[in-house]
Amino acid sequence: MTDAEASARPVSITACPDGPLLVRGDLALLDEHGAPIEPNRRTFALCRCGASAVRPFCDGSHKLVGFRTGPPPRTPAVTYEDEEWRGTTG
Amino acid sequence: MTITAERRLTDARMRPMALPEPRGPITAALIEVLTGPEHASVGDLALAATEGLAASVDPLIDDDVQLALFLMYELHYGGLEGVSDSWEWDPRLLAVRGPIEREFEEALRHSVRQPVAVRDVPEALFALVGDDDSPSLSGFVERDATADQAREILACRSIYTLKEADPHSWAIPRLHGRAKSALVEIQADEYGGGRPDRLHATIFARAMRGAGLDDRYGAYADHVPVEVYTSMNLMSLFGLHRRLRGAIVGHLAAYEMTSSLPCRAYANGLRRLGFGEDVADYFDEHVEADAVHEQLAARDLAGALAEEEPQLARDILFGASACLTVDGRLWGGLRERFERGESALRRPL
């Protein structure tokens, strides 16, 4: 794609629950000296838990450190159809 | 080597794959039919399949059943060397494949737990993946594996990874709106985002060469254990049947959601063992890529599909659960064999 076409992509940032910031669109990502950081993909994820080993990008570490963007739910998110006859409660 | 020259070399070496050795009466009859005269009878094959299925204790770990299914599916991908392309849609061959697929799906429905979303599908997917307690092969590679064991893992991965993302692409024309857009966003990245040298399958081929392995598709078809074919066939079954579009979407979500952190461990392990950057590159790429893909796959793909077609929610979660179960057995099984000091392969590399 040409620069002109790329500049037509609007920027959006999606805050993923318990996860990274998902960035789309044409924008400059810079380090503290103003040098460009190449994301290597059109849609990229920025770390917001601080635990990533590839900052500023996300590497999934938020799952290891139990990062949460809201209070944890009081009930499980998933159950199993066979739970009753297996006698487990998940 | 220039990128163009490398690409030409890689493409030429990829397909179609050489026919493997049979692993029982079904594959023996299948290979005879596929390499014989086109209008010869398939009666012996149909009989071998019927008898083979009836005798199979567990189709999920039956070498003959899984290899037969893999070869029939391969006609839809890169094809088989010396086999006419016309077999792909030959009704006689599809009539043999149908009962094998039914037994396969029945065995899956019986042995894979069916999850139910308490609130929404994305949240359930994250919980499902978080609860998965399959033994980790990546952690073993990071700390304990030998270089030979790492090569065995690459050989086992090659059956899927040299055509990485392809089985999920079958779903694209079967989805609409947000779900379709999300799947294409993920697949575009899998296919290099317009850069042929960054196709994930091509990066993996480079990793294989860097590790001293043969990167031709199917080069290790006779080496790999049955669980490799079960894992591949699971994706093809889900991908090739529109009825199972929920399951292939759930499979992709679970696959992407269990990739980033293990890939970092693989990359660390490969560097510890002294493999070059060309080998670690494939795993480095997936640390960042799959941290993005897991969000897209769980929320924009699976979440949107469950909203647009709520009746598919059950299969989305089944596909994810099947991915965790089948791949957990495959990679956990490799780890167990390595820990016993055994090879994971049927013959040495």
Side-chain angles (χ1 to χ4, degrees):
Chain A
M1 117 163 14
T2 66
D3 287 349
E5 281 168 328
S7 67
R9 296 173 60 216
V11 175
S12 72
I13 300 180
T14 307
C16 301
D18 306 333
L21 300 170
L22 217 53
V23 183
R24 292 185 178 88
D26 181 39
L27 82 172
L29 183 64
L30 307 174
D31 70 11
E32 67 270 37
H33 307 294
I37 299 172
E38 179 49 56
N40 286 322
R41 61 201 76 255
R42 275 167 68 91
T43 302
F44 58 93
L46 292 177
C47 173
R48 68 167 161 161
C49 76
S52 172
V54 293
R55 292 188 299 270
F57 302 112
C58 169
D59 71 352
S61 290
H62 51 271
K63 286 178 282 188
L64 286 184
V65 298
F67 175 69
R68 297 209 68 100
T69 52
R74 292 192 200 138
T75 51
V78 68
T79 58
Y80 293 90
E81 278 188 0
D82 59 5
E83 243 160 19
E84 214 163 309
W85 63 261
R86 285 197 188 201
T88 61
T89 54
Chain B
M1 193 184 301
T2 66
I3 287 166
T4 314
E6 184 185 44
R7 185 164 77 238
R8 220 178 288 125
L9 178 65
T10 303
D11 287 350
R13 299 173 91 191
M14 284 291 277
R15 303 293 173 79
M17 71 172 273
L19 278 166
E21 288 178 356
R23 295 196 185 187
I26 309 175
T27 41
L30 175 62
I31 289 167
E32 197 172 316
V33 161
L34 292 176
T35 53
E38 267 182 55
H39 297 291
S41 164
V42 303
D44 288 353
L45 169 59
L47 185 64
T50 304
E51 290 178 354
L53 283 174
S56 184
V57 177
D58 181 356
L60 299 184
I61 51 168
D62 188 310
D63 271 286
D64 199 28
V65 168
Q66 292 297 332
L67 182 61
L69 194 51
F70 169 80
L71 292 174
M72 287 189 270
Y73 282 148
E74 190 56 25
L75 295 167
H76 294 291
Y77 294 97
L80 302 167
E81 201 173 85
V83 174
S84 164
D85 287 340
S86 65
W87 280 113
E88 181 185 0
W89 295 107
D90 191 303
R92 297 170 301 162
L93 199 59
L94 295 177
V96 172
R97 197 181 87 185
I100 298 179
E101 289 181 300
R102 279 194 289 279
E103 288 285 329
F104 182 33
E105 187 178 346
E106 200 170 301
L108 289 166
R109 299 268 179 196
H110 186 258
S111 66
V112 171
R113 297 185 80 189
Q114 173 66 56
V116 181
V118 175
R119 284 172 292 272
D120 61 36
V121 163
E123 191 196 10
L125 286 169
F126 279 104
L128 198 60
V129 169
D131 290 347
D132 181 42
D133 56 0
S134 307
S136 154
L137 183 62
S138 58
F140 178 79
V141 170
E142 185 168 33
R143 292 182 301 272
D144 303 315
T146 65
D148 284 342
Q149 289 169 339
R151 282 191 195 89
E152 290 196 3
I153 294 167
L154 294 176
C156 287
R157 287 186 76 111
S158 69
I159 297 292
Y160 168 61
T161 311
L162 287 175
K163 58 183 181 200
E164 183 168 351
D166 289 349
H168 303 101
S169 294
W170 299 123
I172 294 173
R174 290 143 187 198
L175 302 180
H176 308 279
R178 287 161 58 209
K180 177 179 230 155
S181 170
L183 179 54
V184 171
E185 192 175 18
I186 295 168
Q187 299 301 81
D189 204 35
E190 294 283 343
Y191 293 135
R195 296 167 56 193
D197 62 312
R198 296 308 291 173
L199 270 157
H200 286 181
T202 301
I203 303 176
F204 188 75
R206 213 151 43 219
M208 290 190 79
R209 293 196 297 277
L213 294 167
D214 189 338
D215 69 337
R216 285 173 302 178
Y217 189 72
Y220 300 103
D222 289 327
H223 297 69
V224 300
V226 60
E227 291 86 353
V228 167
Y229 290 119
T230 311
S231 170
M232 184 69 237
N233 289 337
L234 179 72
M235 294 182 249
S236 300
L237 173 76
F238 289 168
L240 285 166
H241 292 267
R242 197 185 79 85
R243 171 177 69 82
L244 296 170
R245 63 195 180 283
I248 192 66
V249 161
H251 184 285
L252 179 61
Y255 197 94
E256 299 289 353
M257 295 165 82
T258 50
S259 176
S260 293
L261 294 168
C263 279
R264 189 173 71 190
Y266 278 118
N268 290 344
L270 292 165
R271 289 199 172 88
R272 170 182 66 78
L273 291 165
F275 287 102
E277 289 303 306
D278 49 351
V279 182
D281 181 32
Y282 171 83
F283 296 94
D284 286 337
E285 161 71 12
H286 284 74
V287 173
E288 272 175 45
D290 293 346
V292 177
H293 296 174
E294 78 167 325
Q295 300 297 336
L296 298 176
R299 301 180 199 286
D300 298 337
L301 172 58
L305 183 61
E307 282 173 24
E308 285 160 15
E309 299 192 75
Q311 80 283 5
L312 295 182
R314 195 172 181 275
D315 263 3
I316 294 172
L317 294 175
F318 176 72
S321 189
C323 174
L324 298 175
T325 301
V326 169
D327 284 5
R329 285 179 192 167
L330 163 59
W331 304 118
L334 255 69
R335 179 176 173 149
E336 280 171 24
R337 273 166 249 173
F338 292 154
E339 285 179 332
R340 288 198 299 265
E342 298 168 10
S343 165
L345 305 178
R346 299 168 77 243
R347 58 168 69 165
L349 289 172

